[in-house]
Amino acid sequence: MARWEGPLKKIDDYRWEIPREYKPGMRVPGLIYASEDMLDSIREEQAAEQVVNVAFLPGIMGHSMAMPDVHWGYGFPIGGVAATRVEDGVISPGGVGYDINCGVRLLRTNLREDEVRPRIEELLSILFTNVPSGLGSTGKIKVGKKEMDDILTEGARWAVKRGFGTEADLEVTEERGCLKGADPDKVSVKAKERGSPQSGTLGSGNHFVEVQVVGEIYDEPAARAMGIDDVGQVLLLIHTGSRGLGHQVCGDYVRTLREAMQRYGIEVPDRELACAPVKSAEGRDYLAAMACAANYAWANRQCITHWARECFTAVFDRSLPQIGLEMVYDVAHNIAKIESHEVNGKKVSLCVHRKGATRAFPASHPSTPAKYREVGQPVLIPGDMGRYSFVAAGTDRALKESFGSVCHGAGRRMSRHAAKRGVRDADVARDLAAKGIIAMAASRGGLAEEAPEAYKDVAEVVEVCHKAGLCRKVVKAYPLGVVKG
Amino acid sequence: MKRFDIVEHTADTGIIAYGTDMQEAFANAAYGMFSLMADLRQVREETSRYVEAEASDRESLAVSWLNELLYLFDVERIIFSRFEILELTDTRLKADVHGEKVDASRHKLRGGVKAATYHTLKVAENRERCRVRVIFDV
C-alpha cells in the first residue's frame, strides 16, 4: 500500500493538523491526535486521507478528527469523529459503520482475583455455553414481530422489563439504553428478519466477554464512584453490537443515501461517504432506523449481562448482591448522535458521528449520570486480550475540543490475514496461558486473528488521550480470561 | 484459474475474485466471501435458493449480490458453496445458489462477514479475465 505523504502540521506534542489547503474541497482542517512516534505507522496506510475526505462533508464543524487508535476503515477512518450542523449539514451512515452501536459495557464485582483465578476455566466454560457466540449462533430468546418492534423502540429497557437486569443498569447506560426517535417502520423487513434469531448473541470477530482484574488505579475518587476500590478486584467487560440487524440497516441506507446524494447535488470523494442532509426525509429516516439498531444493541448487551450474572452466581454459589456485578457503564463506539455543543460561544445542534470513538462527557454535562457528576462519564477502552484495558473519565477539554469524544480501543496494527499467517489458535491460547490468561473462541482462527500482536499497545493510545486532555485515566485492568465470539 | 485472492486490509478483509467471464467472477466473489466464513469443501449441496439483486451500476450490483447472500445466511443459516449465475447485466443479477445449513461440528466455522462495502470496490475486465474486488466489514 502507498504511504500517505500529506502534510501533518505540529500543533503540540499530541495534535497534528492537516491544513485545508491540502486538498481543494476540504471544508475544515483535519486533526489527528497522536504522539510523534505513532505518525510513522499512521502514514503507512491511507487513514489520514480518509480524515481528509470526511472534511468534505457539508456542514462539518471544527475539524475532521482522528483519535490515536485511528486506522484505515471504509469511508470514515476507524477512530474518526465528525460533527455536522443539523441545520444545513449531512448525516452519513459510513460515519457510524455497519455494526451500529457496537460498544462496551463494564461491570464491577465484589470478587477478588484469588477467588476467581482457580475457577476461571469453569467460569469461562459456563459463559461460553450461556452466552450464544460464533458464526450462525442463534439466541435463546424467541422474538416475534411485535416484540422486535418493542426492542427497537425501547432498547435496554425492553430487556429490563423482561427481567433481564434492573433499572439501575439503565441509569449507567449511555442514553439509558434507549436512543430517542427510533421508528421501527424505517427498518426494513430484511433487517428485522436478520435481527430476530440473533437477539441476545455475542457474534464473532472481535466481540468478547472478558473477565478482568484491576491492576492499577490512577484516580481513586473516580474509581470509587465507579465501584472500583482496590487492586485485585474482578471486573467483567462485554463487547458486542447490533448484529445482522445493524449491518442490514447500514447497507440499506448507504444505498438509499447514495442515490439521494445525487438528487441533493452533494459530492464526496468516496462512495462509502454517502450522505444526505440531516433534515432531509432520507437523513431523518436513517436516523430513525439507526436509533432502532442502537436500541437493539443495547438490548443485546443487557441480555448478555443477565446471562453473565447467572453464570457468576452458579459458579460461585453466592447471591447476586454478594457477588456484585453492578454496571459501571455502557458506552457506544459506533454511533451518530444529535447533541447540543457550544461553538464560538453559541449553542449549536450537531450530528456527532463517532466511528470507533467513544463519548467522553465531563462531570458537569447533564447527560452524565448522577453518580458520575463529580468525576465525569466513564469511558471504556478495551485493549487486546493479552495486555490490558483502561477505564477513563470524560473531561471539559474533550467537550470543548472533540465534541465530547475520545478513543475506543487499541486499533489494529496487522490485518486479520497477516495475524493468522503461520499462527494457530492453539499457539495463541498457549502463549496467553503462559501469562495466566485463559482464552476460548467459537470461531476457527478466532484467537489467531485477535492475537495481542495484531493490535497496537492500548496504553500508548490512552496516554496520548490523557495527555491531550481528552480523558483522564482512572483504572487499568488485566485479563484473566476471555470468551471470543 | 485461481478463483480468488485475499486482499489484506488493516481491520477488515477483502478479496479479488477472477473469472473468464463476468458471471464466473461474480460467482467466485460469492465463493470467496463464504470461504472467509467456513471450509467450503465440507459444505454439501443439500438446499438451494433463488436470488435476485438489483443496483444502479455493475459495481454496486456486486455489493448488492454479496449482501443479499449475507442476509440469507443470517436468516436461514445456510452456507452457500456453489453459485449459478442465471442472468447478469450491469444492473441486475439472477442466480441459483446451493449449500447447506450451518453445522458447527463439520464446517470449521471462522469469523462472520458483516457486510460487503463500496470501499475500493472494483469490477473490471481485460482480454484475459474479469475481476471483482471487494472489501468486507468483518
Side-chain angles (χ1 to χ4, degrees):
Chain A
M1 193 195 315
R3 247 179 94 80
W4 190 77
E5 299 290 1
L8 285 172
K9 194 177 108 201
K10 185 171 181 173
I11 307 289
D12 62 25
D13 286 349
Y14 306 105
R15 288 169 178 81
W16 307 84
E17 191 185 80
I18 308 173
R20 272 185 67 186
E21 297 69 44
Y22 168 63
K23 213 171 171 183
M26 286 175 75
R27 292 168 195 265
V28 294
L31 180 64
I32 298 178
Y33 291 90
S35 64
E36 190 147 16
D37 289 346
M38 290 173 168
L39 295 182
D40 202 46
S41 90
I42 290 172
R43 284 188 181 281
E44 272 172 26
E45 45 176 34
Q46 293 296 314
E49 192 65 20
Q50 292 184 320
V51 173
V52 168
N53 291 343
V54 169
F56 280 65
L57 293 179
I60 186 168
M61 300 284 279
H63 292 85
S64 164
M65 283 175 282
M67 294 298 151
D69 49 341
V70 63
H71 53 270
W72 202 29
Y74 36 86
F76 272 65
I78 316 290
V81 176
T84 50
R85 285 185 301 271
V86 167
E87 189 54 41
D88 59 351
V90 295
I91 179 154
S92 172
V96 175
Y98 285 88
D99 198 356
I100 295 167
N101 189 7
C102 184
V104 272
R105 166 177 290 220
L106 181 68
L107 297 102
R108 47 82 61 204
T109 74
N110 299 322
L111 300 170
R112 310 275 316 161
E113 180 180 359
D114 54 6
E115 300 168 89
V116 175
R117 198 180 275 287
R119 313 193 65 173
I120 188 73
E121 290 193 43
E122 187 189 346
L123 179 61
L124 292 180
S125 300
I126 185 170
L127 282 167
F128 195 75
T129 314
N130 281 310
V131 178
S133 67
L135 190 61
S137 59
T138 49
K140 301 192 281 190
I141 11 176
K142 294 284 160 277
V143 177
K145 194 182 168 304
K146 162 79 176 67
E147 194 146 40
M148 176 54 77
D149 284 359
D150 291 345
I151 295 178
L152 301 182
T153 339
E154 297 176 23
R157 174 166 296 284
W158 164 85
V160 169
K161 274 192 197 164
R162 271 197 64 156
F164 298 147
T166 65
E167 191 68 28
D169 295 340
L170 303 179
E171 290 285 338
V172 283
T173 303
E174 184 173 339
E175 299 295 330
R176 299 178 59 85
C178 175
L179 197 54
K180 287 182 194 70
D183 180 355
D185 290 344
K186 303 300 179 195
V187 176
S188 67
V189 172
K190 280 186 174 171
K192 291 176 190 172
E193 284 174 354
R194 284 177 83 167
S196 179
Q198 295 180 339
S199 298
T201 60
L202 191 63
S204 61
N206 63 353
H207 294 155
F208 62 77
V209 176
E210 186 170 283
V211 182
Q212 305 179 331
V213 56
V214 174
E216 231 172 305
I217 295 178
Y218 306 99
D219 182 332
E220 282 192 13
R224 217 171 304 123
M226 298 177 192
I228 299 171
D229 305 304
D230 210 352
V231 167
Q233 188 176 346
V234 170
L235 309 173
L236 185 75
L237 190 67
I238 299 167
H239 178 213
T240 185
S242 53
R243 315 286 291 106
L245 184 133
H247 313 160
Q248 186 75 34
V249 166
C250 180
D252 289 345
Y253 279 94
V254 166
R255 198 177 155 142
T256 309
L257 267 59
R258 278 186 57 182
E259 286 156 18
M261 192 162 65
Q262 292 173 352
R263 285 199 300 280
Y264 293 110
I266 301 169
E267 279 181 42
V268 288
D270 183 333
R271 275 177 295 192
E272 279 285 337
L273 291 178
C275 58
V278 184
K279 287 195 155 177
S280 66
E282 295 86 353
R284 285 198 313 262
D285 286 356
Y286 169 66
L287 267 171
M290 185 211 69
C292 287
N295 291 342
Y296 178 96
W298 273 312
N300 199 20
R301 291 199 285 275
Q302 187 64 45
C303 293
I304 291 172
T305 300
H306 175 73
W307 295 320
R309 284 171 173 156
E310 288 182 344
C311 294
F312 273 76
T313 51
V315 168
F316 295 98
D317 195 25
R318 269 177 251 176
S319 70
L320 193 55
Q322 283 172 318
I323 288 176
L325 273 177
E326 291 98 10
M327 272 182 61
V328 172
Y329 202 63
D330 176 310
V331 75
H333 55 222
N334 276 358
I335 202 160
K337 306 274 284 282
I338 305 297
E339 294 171 354
S340 175
H341 286 271
E342 204 173 294
V343 182
N344 303 326
K346 271 205 311 214
K347 283 273 178 206
V348 192
S349 182
L350 298 176
C351 177
V352 184
H353 300 73
R354 298 190 180 97
K355 165 88 169 280
T358 305
R359 195 180 77 174
F361 280 175
S364 59
H365 197 281
S367 297
T368 300
K371 71 186 274 203
Y372 299 127
R373 286 286 162 76
E374 303 285 319
V375 298
Q377 175 219 303
V379 173
L380 313 174
I381 311 162
D384 62 78
M385 60 185 170
R387 279 179 275 196
Y388 27 64
S389 295
F390 286 86
V391 184
T395 61
D396 287 310
R397 180 134 193 208
L399 189 63
K400 284 195 193 91
E401 199 177 299
S402 59
F403 305 103
S405 314
V406 74
C407 65
H408 86 307
R412 284 191 82 92
R413 195 170 67 84
M414 234 187 256
S415 76
R416 288 172 203 273
H417 205 63
K420 271 196 295 200
R421 197 167 293 137
V423 180
R424 294 173 310 141
D425 288 336
D427 302 330
V428 176
R430 195 195 51 227
D431 291 352
L432 289 170
K435 290 198 256 181
I437 303 161
I438 308 300
M440 292 184 186
S443 325
R444 287 208 170 217
L447 291 183
E449 284 185 9
E450 293 294 317
E453 296 71 33
Y455 284 89
K456 295 181 204 167
D457 185 350
V458 73
E460 291 173 13
V461 170
V462 172
E463 202 57 29
V464 169
C465 295
H466 178 85
K467 290 201 169 131
L470 298 184
C471 66
R472 257 173 26 252
K473 285 195 291 184
V474 177
V475 166
K476 184 187 198 179
Y478 295 90
L480 280 180
V482 58
V483 172
K484 283 272 177 191
Chain B
M1 185 169 57
K2 192 160 38 170
R3 297 175 88 162
F4 69 94
D5 276 316
I6 300 270
V7 178
E8 304 210 10
H9 191 269
T10 321
D12 298 307
T13 303
I15 54 163
I16 301 179
Y18 309 104
T20 47
D21 55 24
M22 211 39 101
Q23 260 108 327
E24 195 183 4
F26 268 63
N28 282 340
Y31 184 88
M33 180 175 77
F34 279 98
S35 296
L36 299 176
M37 296 160 71
D39 183 351
L40 297 191
R41 290 166 306 184
Q42 313 295 327
V43 175
R44 300 175 189 141
E45 281 187 29
E46 287 190 347
T47 184
S48 301
R49 292 289 181 275
Y50 171 72
V51 176
E52 273 188 23
E54 272 186 349
S56 52
D57 56 66
R58 199 164 62 169
E59 285 172 341
S60 311
L61 185 64
V63 166
S64 298
W65 152 240
L66 297 170
N67 282 334
E68 189 64 24
L69 292 170
L70 289 176
Y71 153 76
L72 271 180
F73 170 75
D74 268 0
V75 173
E76 300 212 40
R77 304 178 67 243
I78 300 171
I79 297 188
F80 297 103
S81 59
R82 193 164 66 84
F83 309 86
E84 266 181 275
I85 311 284
L86 307 172
E87 185 191 319
L88 179 65
T89 69
D90 278 355
T91 57
R92 180 196 284 276
L93 176 151
K94 293 177 181 174
D96 280 329
V97 296
H98 313 279
E100 182 189 7
K101 288 261 184 197
V102 172
D103 179 347
S105 67
R106 244 177 345 98
H107 291 155
K108 298 186 180 168
L109 298 175
R110 305 187 181 114
V113 171
K114 291 173 185 165
T117 75
Y118 297 91
H119 178 59
T120 67
L121 174 68
K122 200 165 171 97
V123 174
E125 57 199 311
N126 58 25
R127 252 179 303 173
E128 286 140 44
R129 59 182 181 178
C130 297
R131 279 177 301 139
V132 174
R133 177 201 160 97
V134 57
I135 305 282
F136 300 104
D137 186 339
V138 296

